[in-house]
Amino acid sequence: MMFSPSSKITIGLCTAVSLIAIQATPTLAFDPTGNEIADAFLTVLDGQEGTVESYGAVNESGNAVTIENLVITDENDQNAKVTIATTVLNGGAILDGGRLKLDALSLQSLQLASDDGGMSLESLDATELVLPSAEEAASGGAGSPGYKTVDIKNVQIQDEDGKVADIAAISSSIDSMDGDLPTSGTFSLTGAIIDVNQLEAEETKSLRELGYETLSLDVSASGKWDPEAATIDIPELKIDAKDAASLSISLALGGVTREVIEQLEEKSNKPEEAMGLLQNVTLVNAKIRLDDASLTGRILDQEAQKAGVEVPVYVAGLTGSLPLMLGMLQNKELEGQVAQAVTEYLNTPGSLEVVAAPGAPVPFSQVMGTAMLAPQMIPQILSVGITANQ
């Protein structure tokens, strides 16, 4: 409920996280196994852009069905292939309407290969799964697979030149539901190590100049939606880059009714229409916090060196120009807060925190209208404050 070096790599990772629920078609390209649970699962995988090319032994023991050496190909790219060494379907049942319910799914040793890179993962384990029927998936009306927990271990992502990133673990949980809609959950990504030299973005050179050969990241988030109160609370979304900085965001929203959530799901492929649905959603409060772990010092060292001065002299020049730059805010009290906080932070990098705490919830329509007509008024309508090193 509540993050590509290449399109194929991105598709591959999303494929794994989404349990490979690509659009399905009732016409099967694979030979049926004779086991209804295995066939229902393979039907989900055998989609309009994917084909179950082959599989090995299919065994049933108690409530567990095991499929060995599963191979899925992309009919639009003959060089793209997914292989799964072992797939175990536990507690499977065919529901009314053709949906497949699984108490647990385990994928072991998944490999995605294509000309422009690939991805592998050691294991994917999910619980309390409900996968769409072939008809639902083909019509696009089933949404994403439902699940209780997903745990992915030891992911490697490559481009055509070599390994780009390792991810030790990805975990997601849906902790409560309101009908078919999730109301609370958590997400975490831990031990992500990105090889800066393998990235193609323009920022790569800047990162190397700052002394980063690799980036080590952890990401965590949690959230809760209360359908009766029509509120969403995200206590923290945190991105922690080791030896660089961590960014934390918290957010509380109002006006998020069941109707809004349902319509947002329906408009997920139409972003302009989806934005229109947010007009009556309100901002209750928000906080953004940056905690430095050497990134600010590295940037100041680099910029001071380019300017040919010592860091204290460079910082003094920056802070001395703040009054002129902040005049556009047309808010003397806030100008003073920003100048004090930024000056303190640049002289002694620690933390910088921006808080929006309006006296009453502010509709997004008002925020967007103000941003277009009088952007300098945004800090006032949101009651924005800023502090450093607290």
Side-chain angles (χ1 to χ4, degrees):
M1 96 172 243
M2 298 273 133
F3 123 111
S4 106
S6 72
S7 60
K8 289 296 180 185
I9 292 173
T10 303
I11 291 170
L13 186 54
C14 291
T15 292
V17 175
S18 299
L19 313 178
I20 324 176
I22 51 184
Q23 290 185 334
T25 172
T27 303
L28 303 182
F30 63 90
D31 293 328
T33 68
N35 181 289
E36 67 169 355
I37 300 302
D39 287 344
F41 180 73
L42 294 177
T43 299
V44 175
L45 304 186
D46 195 75
Q48 293 176 350
E49 296 180 1
T51 301
V52 174
E53 181 180 89
S54 64
Y55 56 85
V58 176
N59 300 305
E60 184 173 2
S61 177
N63 290 326
V65 177
T66 301
I67 306 172
E68 303 288 353
N69 302 319
L70 179 57
V71 179
I72 306 163
T73 57
D74 184 346
E75 62 186 41
N76 296 321
D77 183 355
Q78 59 183 333
N79 296 314
K81 181 179 293 188
V82 175
T83 61
I84 307 171
T86 305
T87 301
V88 181
L89 315 171
N90 274 289
I94 309 297
L95 304 179
D96 292 342
R99 291 184 178 185
L100 174 62
K101 177 181 178 297
L102 298 171
D103 291 340
L105 168 69
S106 176
L107 307 181
Q108 301 294 319
S109 187
L110 182 148
Q111 305 279 337
L112 166 68
S114 66
D115 285 342
D116 55 359
M119 183 205 73
S120 67
L121 59 88
E122 180 181 294
S123 65
L124 182 153
D125 293 285
T127 62
E128 298 185 26
L129 278 161
V130 178
L131 300 178
S133 68
E135 290 76 13
E136 285 178 322
S139 67
S144 300
Y147 65 91
K148 176 68 173 177
T149 63
V150 174
D151 292 291
I152 302 172
K153 303 295 185 185
N154 296 329
V155 180
Q156 293 186 351
I157 301 172
Q158 304 91 27
D159 64 10
E160 61 269 27
D161 297 320
K163 186 165 64 176
V164 174
D166 290 323
I167 303 173
I170 302 172
S171 296
S172 177
S173 71
I174 295 176
D175 300 326
S176 59
M177 300 283 292
D178 178 66
D180 289 336
L181 298 174
T183 56
S184 66
T186 62
F187 172 83
S188 68
L189 180 152
T190 57
I193 300 176
I194 301 169
D195 185 346
V196 171
N197 296 311
Q198 290 291 337
L199 299 178
E200 298 178 0
E202 288 293 327
E203 292 80 6
T204 299
K205 181 181 178 182
S206 298
L207 288 170
R208 286 201 301 266
E209 290 175 347
L210 290 171
Y212 294 106
E213 295 296 324
T214 62
L215 288 177
S216 179
L217 298 174
D218 291 335
V219 180
S220 61
S222 63
K224 182 177 181 179
W225 169 50
D226 185 336
E228 301 303 324
T231 58
I232 283 182
D233 181 31
I234 301 174
E236 184 176 58
L237 187 161
K238 185 175 183 180
I239 303 171
D240 186 3
K242 301 294 188 295
D243 199 30
S246 66
L247 181 68
S248 300
I249 299 172
S250 64
L251 186 66
L253 303 176
V256 188
T257 62
R258 287 186 181 89
E259 182 181 13
V260 168
I261 294 294
E262 290 169 352
Q263 290 183 350
L264 283 174
E265 287 199 343
E266 292 174 3
K267 306 294 185 182
S268 59
N269 295 322
K270 300 176 180 178
E272 291 185 2
E273 293 183 24
M275 283 297 294
L277 298 172
L278 300 179
Q279 294 292 313
N280 294 322
V281 173
T282 61
L283 177 67
V284 179
N285 59 66
K287 180 174 72 175
I288 301 175
R289 180 182 175 92
L290 177 71
D291 286 280
D292 184 67
S294 85
L295 178 61
T296 303
R298 293 174 188 239
I299 294 173
L300 291 175
D301 286 342
Q302 183 186 72
E303 295 303 314
Q305 187 175 16
K306 290 179 182 178
V309 298
E310 297 295 323
V311 171
V313 175
Y314 182 76
V315 169
L318 286 178
T319 56
S321 63
L322 285 174
L324 180 62
M325 292 188 292
L326 295 173
M328 60 178 291
L329 295 175
Q330 300 179 24
N331 183 326
K332 291 299 182 182
E333 181 180 355
L334 182 59
E335 289 174 28
Q337 280 189 31
V338 174
Q340 180 179 345
V342 172
T343 298
E344 184 176 344
Y345 179 80
L346 291 178
N347 280 287
T348 311
S351 67
L352 200 61
E353 184 172 287
V354 179
V355 176
V362 180
F364 278 13
S365 57
Q366 182 181 351
V367 176
M368 290 184 283
T370 304
M372 289 187 292
L373 300 175
Q376 74 278 5
M377 296 299 295
I378 291 288
Q380 288 182 251
I381 67 171
L382 297 181
S383 298
V384 172
I386 180 171
T387 57
N389 302 340
Q390 292 184 10

